[in-house]
Amino acid sequence: RTPGCRAIKAGEASVAMGDTGEEIDFDAVEQLLEGNDAGQERKSRDRDRGRDRDRKKRSRSRTTEEEKRRRQLEKERQEEERKQRQYEEEQKKAMEQASREDNTVVVTCLNHKATEREIYEFFSQQAGKVRDIQVIRDQASQKSKGISYVEFYLQEAVMKALACTGKPLMGVPIRALCKVQSRGGASGSTAE
């Protein structure tokens, strides 16, 4: 019943008398109410959609936060892997450097006119495969100081090179020492 209306039952149709005295058809009122119910349903659907949107936003927000955490963890994992690779590379370089020093011979008493090529050929024939040669030179004049570093690929070649002490290179007997031993201050040849 609508406030301010009196209900009167008149035959088949129910009618209401309003405050102004006009008749109101209940069928029309019912249709209005149904329309109003449809409006209520629409509002209810809109409210539910709003809740669903909010739920999805919260879910997206949670997903976004989880995604951020996952990305952060992935970044940290990649950084740890990078650090591990860098550490392994440094260890490998250190081992390689130690190995290179173990495979290097210091040659003294060289003829000052001996070139890298002549030293290379001498030790390739006498000891084995040569990896690198460095002749120590005076900075000002660029003349040889009679000292050279000869690096070999194999430790066996180092032993053969040390046995070359006293053999002549360009008419001058050379003296070969292990690089580690020469740095440590020991004197003499290890091949003697």
Side-chain angles (χ1 to χ4, degrees):
R1 231 166 111 170
T2 310
C5 292
R6 286 181 287 138
I8 302 172
K9 199 132 179 124
E12 296 280 319
S14 296
V15 221
M17 297 293 281
D19 291 339
T20 59
E22 78 236 24
E23 287 186 7
I24 300 175
D25 183 12
F26 273 120
D27 292 332
V29 170
E30 209 171 280
Q31 286 176 357
L32 281 172
L33 289 176
E34 283 178 8
N36 197 13
D37 285 345
Q40 290 294 337
E41 286 178 23
R42 200 175 319 113
K43 286 181 184 177
S44 177
R45 261 186 274 130
D46 290 347
R47 199 175 322 121
D48 290 344
R49 285 183 191 146
R51 286 184 191 138
D52 287 345
R53 269 193 306 264
D54 290 345
R55 236 182 265 125
K56 286 178 182 176
K57 279 183 183 176
R58 283 194 300 270
S59 175
R60 262 188 251 127
S61 175
R62 253 185 266 127
T63 305
T64 304
E65 288 298 319
E66 289 171 2
E67 185 67 22
K68 283 180 184 176
R69 271 188 249 118
R70 190 187 64 73
R71 285 183 191 147
Q72 182 64 30
L73 289 173
E74 181 66 19
K75 250 185 186 178
E76 290 172 4
R77 184 187 64 76
Q78 288 175 352
E79 181 64 21
E80 284 297 318
E81 287 178 356
R82 187 191 64 76
K83 286 181 180 178
Q84 182 65 27
R85 280 193 305 272
Q86 183 179 5
Y87 173 77
E88 289 171 359
E89 287 173 9
E90 288 172 359
Q91 291 297 316
K92 186 178 176 182
K93 284 180 183 176
M95 293 293 287
E96 189 176 296
Q97 183 65 27
S99 172
R100 288 184 81 167
E101 287 184 8
D102 289 345
N103 291 345
T104 301
V105 173
V106 179
V107 182
T108 60
C109 304
L110 282 171
N111 184 328
H112 292 283
K113 294 181 181 179
T115 64
E116 282 92 351
R117 187 79 198 151
E118 292 165 332
I119 297 169
Y120 175 85
E121 288 173 0
F122 175 82
F123 280 104
S124 291
Q125 292 170 0
Q126 300 292 322
K129 196 169 179 184
V130 176
R131 183 176 189 172
D132 188 27
I133 296 176
Q134 291 179 344
V135 175
I136 307 302
R137 300 184 183 281
D138 181 61
Q139 286 183 345
S141 66
Q142 290 299 308
K143 290 184 180 178
S144 171
K145 289 186 174 184
I147 301 171
S148 176
Y149 291 100
V150 181
E151 181 183 349
F152 295 94
Y153 282 100
L154 302 173
Q155 188 68 33
E156 297 152 0
V158 172
M159 299 312 253
K160 290 178 182 177
L162 293 173
C164 290
T165 296
K167 290 186 179 179
L169 173 63
M170 294 181 68
V172 179
I174 63 166
R175 189 169 175 194
L177 305 165
C178 282
K179 183 177 180 184
V180 177
Q181 181 186 19
S182 67
R183 209 179 331 131
S187 60
S189 171
T190 56
E192 294 178 325

